Coordinates of all heavy atoms in Angstrom, one line a residue:
I1 N 104.0 119.0 110.3 CA 104.2 117.7 111.1 C 103.3 117.8 112.3 O 103.4 118.7 113.1 CB 105.7 117.5 111.4 CG1 106.5 117.5 110.2 CG2 105.8 116.2 112.2 CD1 108.0 117.6 110.4
Y2 N 102.5 116.8 112.5 CA 101.6 116.7 113.7 C 102.1 115.5 114.6 O 102.5 114.4 114.0 CB 100.2 116.4 113.3 CG 99.5 117.7 112.8 CD1 99.5 118.0 111.4 CD2 98.8 118.5 113.7 CE1 98.8 119.1 110.9 CE2 98.1 119.6 113.2 CZ 98.1 119.9 111.8 OH 97.5 121.1 111.4
L3 N 101.9 115.7 115.9 CA 102.2 114.6 116.8 C 100.9 114.5 117.7 O 100.5 115.5 118.2 CB 103.4 114.9 117.7 CG 103.8 113.9 118.7 CD1 104.3 112.6 118.0 CD2 104.9 114.4 119.7
Y4 N 100.4 113.3 117.8 CA 99.2 113.1 118.6 C 99.5 112.1 119.8 O 100.2 111.1 119.6 CB 98.1 112.4 117.7 CG 97.7 113.1 116.5 CD1 98.4 112.9 115.3 CD2 96.7 114.0 116.4 CE1 98.1 113.6 114.1 CE2 96.3 114.7 115.3 CZ 97.1 114.5 114.1 OH 96.7 115.1 112.9
G5 N 98.9 112.4 120.9 CA 98.9 111.5 122.0 C 97.7 110.5 121.9 O 96.6 110.9 121.6
I6 N 98.0 109.2 122.0 CA 97.0 108.2 121.8 C 97.0 107.1 122.9 O 98.0 107.0 123.6 CB 97.2 107.4 120.4 CG1 98.5 106.7 120.3 CG2 97.0 108.4 119.3 CD1 98.7 105.9 119.1
S7 N 95.9 106.4 123.1 CA 95.8 105.4 124.1 C 96.5 104.1 123.7 O 96.7 103.9 122.5 CB 94.4 105.2 124.5 OG 93.7 104.6 123.4
P8 N 96.9 103.3 124.7 CA 97.4 102.0 124.3 C 96.5 101.1 123.4 O 96.9 100.5 122.5 CB 97.7 101.3 125.7 CG 97.8 102.4 126.6 CD 96.9 103.5 126.1
R9 N 95.2 101.2 123.7 CA 94.2 100.4 122.9 C 94.2 100.9 121.5 O 94.1 100.2 120.5 CB 92.9 100.5 123.5 CG 91.8 99.6 122.8 CD 90.5 99.6 123.6 NE 89.5 98.8 122.9 CZ 88.3 98.7 123.2 NH1 87.8 99.3 124.3 NH2 87.4 97.9 122.6
Y10 N 94.2 102.3 121.3 CA 94.2 102.8 119.9 C 95.5 102.5 119.2 O 95.5 102.2 118.0 CB 94.0 104.3 120.0 CG 93.9 105.0 118.6 CD1 92.7 104.7 117.8 CD2 94.8 105.8 118.1 CE1 92.6 105.3 116.6 CE2 94.7 106.4 116.8 CZ 93.6 106.1 116.1 OH 93.4 106.7 114.8
Y11 N 96.6 102.5 120.0 CA 97.9 102.1 119.4 C 97.8 100.7 118.8 O 98.3 100.4 117.7 CB 99.0 102.2 120.5 CG 100.4 101.7 120.1 CD1 101.3 102.5 119.5 CD2 100.7 100.4 120.3 CE1 102.5 102.1 119.1 CE2 102.0 99.9 119.9 CZ 102.9 100.7 119.3 OH 104.1 100.3 119.0
N12 N 97.3 99.7 119.6 CA 97.1 98.4 119.1 C 96.2 98.3 117.9 O 96.4 97.5 117.0 CB 96.6 97.5 120.2 CG 97.6 97.3 121.4 OD1 98.8 97.4 121.1 ND2 97.1 97.1 122.6
Y13 N 95.1 99.0 117.9 CA 94.2 99.1 116.8 C 94.9 99.5 115.5 O 94.8 98.9 114.5 CB 93.0 99.9 117.2 CG 92.1 100.3 116.0 CD1 91.1 99.3 115.5 CD2 92.2 101.5 115.3 CE1 90.3 99.6 114.5 CE2 91.3 101.8 114.3 CZ 90.4 100.9 113.8 OH 89.6 101.2 112.8
M14 N 95.6 100.7 115.6 CA 96.3 101.2 114.5 C 97.4 100.3 114.0 O 97.6 100.3 112.7 CB 96.8 102.6 114.8 CG 95.7 103.7 114.9 SD 94.8 104.0 113.3 CE 96.2 104.6 112.3
S15 N 98.0 99.6 114.8 CA 99.1 98.7 114.4 C 98.5 97.6 113.5 O 99.2 97.2 112.5 CB 99.8 98.1 115.6 OG 99.0 97.2 116.3
K16 N 97.3 97.2 113.8 CA 96.7 96.2 112.9 C 96.2 96.8 111.6 O 96.4 96.3 110.5 CB 95.5 95.6 113.7 CG 95.9 94.8 114.9 CD 94.6 94.3 115.6 CE 95.0 93.5 116.9 NZ 93.8 93.1 117.7
L17 N 95.6 98.0 111.7 CA 95.0 98.7 110.6 C 96.1 99.1 109.6 O 96.0 98.8 108.4 CB 94.2 99.9 111.0 CG 93.4 100.6 109.9 CD1 92.4 99.7 109.3 CD2 92.8 101.9 110.4
L18 N 97.2 99.7 110.1 CA 98.2 100.2 109.2 C 99.0 99.0 108.5 O 99.6 99.2 107.4 CB 99.2 101.1 109.9 CG 98.6 102.4 110.4 CD1 99.6 103.1 111.3 CD2 98.2 103.3 109.2
S19 N 99.0 97.9 109.1 CA 99.7 96.7 108.5 C 98.9 96.1 107.3 O 99.4 95.3 106.6 CB 99.9 95.6 109.6 OG 98.7 95.0 110.0
L20 N 97.6 96.5 107.2 CA 96.8 95.9 106.2 C 96.4 96.8 105.0 O 95.9 96.4 104.0 CB 95.5 95.5 106.8 CG 95.6 94.3 107.8 CD1 94.3 94.1 108.6 CD2 96.0 93.0 107.2
I21 N 96.8 98.1 105.1 CA 96.4 99.1 104.1 C 97.6 99.4 103.2 O 98.8 99.3 103.7 CB 95.8 100.4 104.6 CG1 96.8 101.1 105.5 CG2 94.5 100.1 105.4 CD1 96.3 102.5 105.9
P22 N 97.4 99.8 102.0 CA 98.6 100.2 101.2 C 99.3 101.4 101.8 O 98.7 102.3 102.4 CB 97.9 100.6 99.8 CG 96.6 100.0 99.8 CD 96.2 99.9 101.3
P23 N 100.7 101.5 101.6 CA 101.4 102.6 102.2 C 100.9 104.0 101.6 O 100.5 104.0 100.4 CB 102.8 102.3 101.8 CG 102.8 101.4 100.7 CD 101.5 100.6 100.9
D24 N 101.0 105.0 102.4 CA 100.7 106.4 101.9 C 99.2 106.6 101.6 O 98.8 107.5 100.9 CB 101.5 106.8 100.7 CG 103.0 106.8 101.0 OD1 103.4 107.0 102.1 OD2 103.8 106.5 100.0
T25 N 98.4 105.7 102.2 CA 96.9 105.9 102.1 C 96.6 107.2 102.9 O 96.8 107.3 104.1 CB 96.1 104.7 102.6 OG1 96.5 103.6 101.8 CG2 94.6 105.0 102.5
P26 N 95.9 108.2 102.2 CA 95.7 109.5 103.0 C 94.8 109.3 104.2 O 95.0 109.9 105.2 CB 95.0 110.3 101.9 CG 95.4 109.7 100.6 CD 95.5 108.3 100.8
N27 N 93.8 108.4 104.1 CA 92.9 108.2 105.2 C 92.6 106.8 105.4 O 91.9 106.1 104.7 CB 91.6 109.0 105.0 CG 90.6 108.8 106.2 OD1 90.9 108.2 107.2 ND2 89.5 109.5 106.1
P28 N 93.2 106.1 106.5 CA 93.1 104.7 106.6 C 91.7 104.3 106.9 O 91.3 103.1 106.8 CB 94.0 104.4 107.8 CG 94.1 105.7 108.5 CD 94.1 106.7 107.5
F29 N 90.7 105.2 107.3 CA 89.4 104.8 107.6 C 88.5 104.9 106.3 O 87.3 104.5 106.4 CB 88.8 105.8 108.6 CG 89.5 105.8 109.9 CD1 90.4 106.7 110.3 CD2 89.3 104.7 110.8 CE1 91.1 106.7 111.5 CE2 90.0 104.7 112.0 CZ 90.9 105.6 112.3
Q30 N 89.1 105.4 105.2 CA 88.2 105.6 104.0 C 87.8 104.3 103.4 O 86.6 104.1 103.1 CB 89.1 106.4 103.0 CG 88.2 107.3 102.2 CD 89.1 108.3 101.5 OE1 90.2 108.1 101.1 NE2 88.6 109.5 101.3
T31 N 88.6 103.3 103.3 CA 88.3 102.1 102.7 C 88.9 100.9 103.5 O 89.9 100.3 103.1 CB 88.8 102.0 101.2 OG1 90.2 102.3 101.2 CG2 88.1 102.9 100.3
P32 N 88.3 100.6 104.7 CA 88.9 99.5 105.5 C 88.9 98.2 104.7 O 87.9 97.8 104.2 CB 87.9 99.4 106.7 CG 87.2 100.8 106.7 CD 87.2 101.2 105.3
P33 N 90.1 97.6 104.5 CA 90.3 96.4 103.7 C 89.8 95.1 104.4 O 89.7 94.1 103.7 CB 91.8 96.4 103.4 CG 92.4 97.0 104.7 CD 91.4 98.0 105.1
I34 N 89.6 95.2 105.7 CA 89.2 94.0 106.4 C 88.5 94.4 107.6 O 88.6 95.6 108.1 CB 90.5 93.1 106.7 CG1 90.1 91.7 107.1 CG2 91.3 93.8 107.8 CD1 91.3 90.8 107.2
S35 N 87.8 93.5 108.3 CA 87.0 93.9 109.5 C 87.9 94.0 110.7 O 87.9 93.1 111.5 CB 85.9 92.8 109.7 OG 85.0 92.9 108.6
V36 N 88.6 95.1 110.8 CA 89.4 95.3 112.0 C 88.5 96.0 113.0 O 88.0 97.1 112.8 CB 90.6 96.3 111.7 CG1 91.4 96.6 112.9 CG2 91.5 95.7 110.6
R37 N 88.3 95.3 114.1 CA 87.4 95.7 115.1 C 88.0 96.8 116.0 O 89.1 96.7 116.5 CB 87.0 94.6 116.0 CG 86.3 93.4 115.3 CD 84.8 93.7 115.0 NE 84.0 93.7 116.2 CZ 83.5 92.6 116.7 NH1 83.6 91.5 116.1 NH2 82.7 92.7 117.8
G38 N 87.3 97.9 116.2 CA 87.7 99.0 117.0 C 87.1 98.9 118.4 O 86.7 97.9 118.9
N39 N 86.8 100.1 119.0 CA 86.3 100.1 120.3 C 84.8 100.5 120.4 O 84.2 100.6 121.4 CB 87.0 101.1 121.2 CG 86.9 102.6 120.7 OD1 86.5 102.8 119.5 ND2 87.2 103.5 121.5
I40 N 84.2 100.5 119.2 CA 82.7 100.9 119.1 C 81.9 99.6 119.1 O 82.2 98.7 118.4 CB 82.5 101.7 117.8 CG1 83.4 102.9 117.8 CG2 81.0 102.2 117.8 CD1 83.4 103.6 116.5
V41 N 80.9 99.6 120.0 CA 80.1 98.4 120.2 C 78.6 98.7 119.9 O 78.1 99.7 120.2 CB 80.2 97.9 121.7 CG1 79.3 96.7 121.9 CG2 81.6 97.6 122.0
N42 N 78.0 97.7 119.2 CA 76.6 97.8 118.9 C 75.8 97.3 120.1 O 75.8 96.0 120.3 CB 76.2 97.1 117.6 CG 74.7 97.2 117.2 OD1 73.9 97.5 118.1 ND2 74.5 97.2 115.9
Q43 N 75.2 98.1 120.9 CA 74.6 97.7 122.2 C 73.3 96.9 121.9 O 72.8 96.1 122.7 CB 74.3 98.9 123.1 CG 75.6 99.6 123.5 CD 76.5 98.9 124.4 OE1 76.1 97.8 124.9 NE2 77.6 99.4 124.7
T44 N 72.7 97.2 120.7 CA 71.4 96.6 120.4 C 71.5 95.2 119.8 O 70.8 94.3 120.1 CB 70.6 97.5 119.5 OG1 70.6 98.8 120.0 CG2 69.2 97.0 119.2
N45 N 72.5 95.1 118.8 CA 72.7 93.9 118.1 C 74.2 93.7 117.9 O 74.8 94.1 116.9 CB 72.0 94.0 116.7 CG 72.2 92.8 115.9 OD1 72.7 91.7 116.4 ND2 71.9 92.9 114.6
P46 N 74.9 93.0 118.9 CA 76.3 92.9 118.9 C 76.9 92.3 117.6 O 78.0 92.5 117.2 CB 76.6 92.0 120.1 CG 75.5 92.3 121.0 CD 74.3 92.5 120.1

């Protein structure tokens, strides 16, 4: 069992992501089902 400390922004991001993926998905980043925007920005072409 692992426990991770996370930021409020990441908490909000994961709440959106986990609500959209099938339960028990091993890696929620593997196949994002929808364009959930994170904190990474394209500085060249937004």
Side-chain angles (χ1 to χ4, degrees):
I1 302 168
Y2 284 90
L3 183 68
Y4 305 88
I6 59 176
S7 67
R9 186 176 179 184
Y10 186 69
Y11 175 89
N12 292 331
Y13 169 80
M14 285 299 294
S15 66
K16 296 176 182 177
L17 185 62
L18 291 173
S19 69
L20 294 169
I21 65 173
D24 301 330
T25 299
N27 182 358
F29 299 103
Q30 213 165 34
T31 54
I34 195 170
S35 296
V36 180
R37 300 280 290 271
N39 64 341
I40 307 170
V41 177
N42 186 331
Q43 301 290 354
T44 308
N45 179 12

